[in-house]
Amino acid sequence: MQFTVTYARYWPERRRLEFAASGIRNGCIFTVVTDVICLKEPATAEHVHLVALARLTEIFRQRSASGH
């Protein structure tokens, strides 16, 4: 999976990182907008990327409505 985080904002009062990511997975282009709970603010772009990778991996492991 290749992706780029196109938007990220951390909300310290809610301890949430919301982000948008676009990329390619299995030859398909995707864009995901979601949020994730973080115990502390991701301080660098690399940390944001790692948090996004973990969340995207979780999302893509879920079964889709089509059963795939």
Side-chain angles (χ1 to χ4, degrees):
M1 172 174 33
Q2 298 176 353
F3 70 93
T4 302
V5 176
T6 56
Y7 165 81
R9 181 173 178 185
Y10 181 72
W11 297 88
E13 64 278 359
R14 298 185 313 164
R15 295 186 342 213
R16 289 196 173 267
L17 173 70
E18 62 182 27
F19 69 91
S22 295
I24 299 173
R25 180 175 182 265
N26 297 336
C28 297
I29 297 172
F30 69 86
T31 298
V32 172
V33 178
T34 189
D35 66 344
V36 64
I37 294 174
C38 294
L39 297 178
K40 63 180 187 176
E41 181 175 0
T44 66
E46 183 178 89
H47 290 158
V48 171
H49 185 84
L50 291 173
V51 170
L53 176 61
R55 180 67 178 128
L56 291 173
T57 301
E58 180 183 318
I59 289 170
F60 286 123
R61 283 192 178 159
Q62 296 174 358
R63 290 194 150 267
S64 68
S66 65
H68 296 286

